Amino acid sequence: MATALITGASQGIGACIAERLAKDGYDIAINHFPSEGDKANAEKVAETCRSFGVKAELFAANVADYAQCEEMVKAVKASFGSIDALVNNAGITKDGLLLRMSEAQYDAVIAVNQKSVFNMIKLVGAVMLRQKHGSIVSLASVAGLYGNPGQMNYSASKAAIVGMTKTAAKELGSRGITVNAVAPGFIKTPMTDALTDEQRDKMLGLVAMGRYGDPAEIAGVVSFLCSADASYVTGQTIEISGGLMM
Ligand code: NAP
């Protein structure tokens, strides 16, 4: 049985991806931030995954911390035997206009959204190199492709993922490992629930389809990128935004 490891999978898009990959037949390693609330949410996600007849286990780790990622990858490998798909989903926002953004706000977002991707691709990439196969998908964002006022930190972290994806694809491609990213637009999750009505109306006015995306619409593309149908797709960032910029 193939195994998928999804970071930040206790809620939102990550939870939906975990459930979709379970439906696809993967055993699921659910990473969650080490807190009691996240653990309780992650356990619910694991139960849903198990309802598809696959194995699902929780792995607590702050993915911004290399040592914690190393322990987690060892534990996943020991429990599941292989890691066939990695989804780098964990992410945070700490928004503020540039002149008001603190160094701490900048550094925190880069650590969680960007350095975690280095940590996880390096560690899981080593496992996949030995296996001579694997699929890696990271969550970028339209903010990284086009910029977004108030998100200097977030857009920097997500633009970096586009470049990291291409570099890893070039380094790992000859061993049968694909590395791609998806760049969601405005998706209905706790992250976008935090927007004001005014911000929401302004944003949806820019979307050709005139609505939020659903986490399942991100999970479907991630599922494709992890599947054999995408075996010759690598180094790509696929925008999933309902036609935000054309
Ligand atoms: P979300 O609901 O806030 O979920 C993010 C998850 O990541 C949470 O469970 C969070 O745990 C976890 N996480 C945060 N920091 C972590 C860390 N250091 N270690 C481990 N887990 C951590 O966000 P979402 O909307 O589902 O977003 C998922 C991904 O899609 C993110 O990378 C986001 O940037 C990207 N994205 C989202 C949208 C959108 O419209 N929603 C658009 C573009 C891109 P806590 O709850 O404890 O923080």
Side-chain angles (χ1 to χ4, degrees), residues 8 10-11 13 38 61-63 89 140 154 158 184-185 187 189 191-192:
S10 58
Q11 64 172 40
I13 294 171
D38 288 67
N62 173 359
V63 290
N89 164 83
Y154 186 79
K158 296 300 187 179
I187 310 302
T189 66
M191 194 177 261
T192 42

Side-chain angles (χ1 to χ4, degrees), residues 66-83:
Y66 186 82
Q68 290 188 37
C69 290
E70 198 168 24
E71 285 308 306
M72 172 168 68
V73 171
K74 265 191 216 157
V76 174
K77 182 82 177 44
S79 179
F80 290 81
S82 68
I83 306 177

